[in-house]
Amino acid sequence: MERVLMLGTGCGKAIELYNTCFVLQNEMGDFLVDAGGSIEIEKRLKILNVDIGKLSHIFISHAHTDHIFGLIWLYRKISGMVITGRYKEKVSIYCSEYVYKAIIGISKLVLPIELLDALDKVIEYVVLKDGDIHNINGLDYTFFDTHAKGEELYGFETILSSGKRLVFLGDEICDESQYKRIENADYVMHEAFCLDSEEGIPRIVKEHHSTVKSVCEKMEPLNIKNLILYHTEESHKDRKELYTKEAKDYFSNNVIVPDDLEIIEIK
Ligand SMILES: [Zn+2]
């Protein structure tokens, strides 16, 4: 059985919430999906008992600051552990060619040479092309270009040990070209920046992000069983209740609005 450990659920500019990233966990290991934007990633992994020393699969969906910079902090940690002999694993980093270039470029500019040398001993890059399949902790993941309007953004789909299908769509509005893929899925992970019912919806929502209502209206005809919403603004203390309430008006199946550090049991 798998669990989704939500390390963060906030949007790129969030400061109270951590940026959206999570661990897909099963009995074979942990798979980190995105890394957020800061050293906070280390604290979040520690709180949820995810051992960085055993983290051997990491996927970075795109090259934005709120997904990639946390990886640089993990690199600091991992390389330090390699140097002191406390790190024996190999780490596979799954990402597109563009993200690969960004990670290499940033790392070379900001990490000392001895840390880079240590990383070379344990990091293996798996540069993704649209449709590539990789087995991670016993599950086959199909990685795909989401055809997002903004920067190149990869998502994935996988069949869980229960036989159920989970699709992760990153942090942009799901492009219509992906509707066939997500139709009838058991779990769809999709961004929702804010409520539709509140005033002053930022311009970026219209171009790249969704409101709870807009994503629910799009997902409703696709017969998705469980819709997980994340990558939100952070102005509401009772976000879970407010977002769930709006979602229920437009989406008839189950909606999950996780809090930071919430663990979602995928049954
Ligand atoms: Zn983001």
Side-chain angles (χ1 to χ4, degrees):
M1 192 169 64
E2 288 77 24
R3 310 195 307 164
V4 176
L5 280 50
M6 295 301 308
L7 302 168
T9 59
C11 66
K13 289 183 184 170
I15 51 173
E16 303 297 334
L17 300 169
Y18 191 47
N19 310 122
T20 294
C21 56
F22 59 92
V23 169
L24 225 154
Q25 184 176 67
N26 65 11
E27 45 294 325
M28 286 183 68
D30 299 319
F31 173 33
L32 175 63
V33 177
D34 287 322
S38 76
I39 194 172
E40 179 75 13
I41 182 75
E42 287 181 31
K43 185 171 155 194
R44 302 278 166 145
L45 290 168
K46 191 174 172 191
I47 292 170
L48 291 175
N49 293 315
V50 177
D51 184 352
I52 293 173
K54 291 183 180 150
L55 197 56
S56 43
H57 300 280
I58 301 173
F59 167 58
I60 303 293
S61 63
H62 62 301
H64 282 177
T65 50
D66 56 319
H67 300 262
I68 200 171
F69 279 5
L71 182 68
I72 305 302
W73 287 102
L74 286 180
Y75 274 9
R76 280 201 69 101
K77 180 87 175 174
I78 290 168
S79 55
M81 292 166 85
V82 172
I83 288 167
T84 53
R86 290 175 295 138
Y87 200 87
K88 306 268 190 287
E89 299 288 322
K90 294 275 182 202
V91 197
S92 297
I93 309 289
Y94 304 84
C95 59
S96 69
E97 174 89 22
Y98 185 86
V99 174
Y100 166 71
K101 285 180 180 163
I103 295 170
I104 293 288
I106 298 164
S107 302
K108 279 194 176 151
L109 288 171
V110 301
L111 294 178
I113 188 75
E114 61 269 27
L115 298 193
L116 292 170
D117 287 346
L119 287 171
D120 274 348
K121 293 183 183 132
V122 294
I123 302 283
E124 174 207 38
Y125 288 96
V126 181
V127 177
L128 299 168
K129 293 212 171 57
D130 193 17
D132 280 359
I133 300 172
H134 294 280
N135 192 281
I136 298 171
N137 296 329
L139 299 180
D140 280 338
Y141 286 81
T142 304
F143 293 94
F144 58 89
D145 184 341
T146 63
H147 300 295
K149 265 173 85 183
E151 310 297 332
E152 183 185 54
L153 168 68
Y154 266 64
F156 62 75
E157 68 171 299
T158 186
I159 306 291
L160 304 161
S161 53
S162 60
K164 296 200 169 159
R165 191 158 61 92
L166 177 143
V167 187
F168 166 71
L169 291 165
D171 72 354
E172 290 230 10
I173 299 169
C174 179
D175 187 76
E176 279 185 33
S177 62
Q178 304 304 321
Y179 284 8
K180 268 250 158 310
R181 182 190 296 281
I182 62 174
E183 205 171 8
N184 302 316
D186 296 288
Y187 291 91
V188 167
M189 304 183 74
H190 192 295
E191 59 78 35
F193 185 85
C194 60
L195 294 167
D196 199 89
S197 53
E198 61 195 331
E199 288 181 10
I201 294 171
R203 181 186 53 81
I204 192 165
V205 174
K206 295 201 173 68
E207 290 171 12
H208 297 289
H209 297 311
S210 312
T211 66
V212 174
K213 177 187 174 187
S214 72
V215 60
C216 285
E217 281 181 334
K218 282 177 193 148
M219 296 297 121
E220 174 70 6
L222 299 174
N223 189 34
I224 283 123
K225 314 294 187 304
N226 298 276
L227 180 61
I228 301 174
L229 301 176
Y230 52 73
H231 205 271
T232 79
E233 51 79 38
E234 56 183 358
S235 65
H236 304 290
K237 285 235 164 355
D238 47 355
R239 177 187 61 163
K240 185 189 275 287
E241 288 72 31
L242 290 171
Y243 279 43
T244 305
K245 186 169 179 291
E246 182 169 297
K248 292 279 182 203
D249 289 340
Y250 304 98
F251 187 77
S252 37
N253 286 334
N254 190 38
V255 173
I256 302 167
V257 183
D259 288 322
D260 274 25
L261 301 173
E262 186 168 329
I263 297 173
I264 306 168
E265 303 281 348
I266 303 285
K267 293 175 188 142

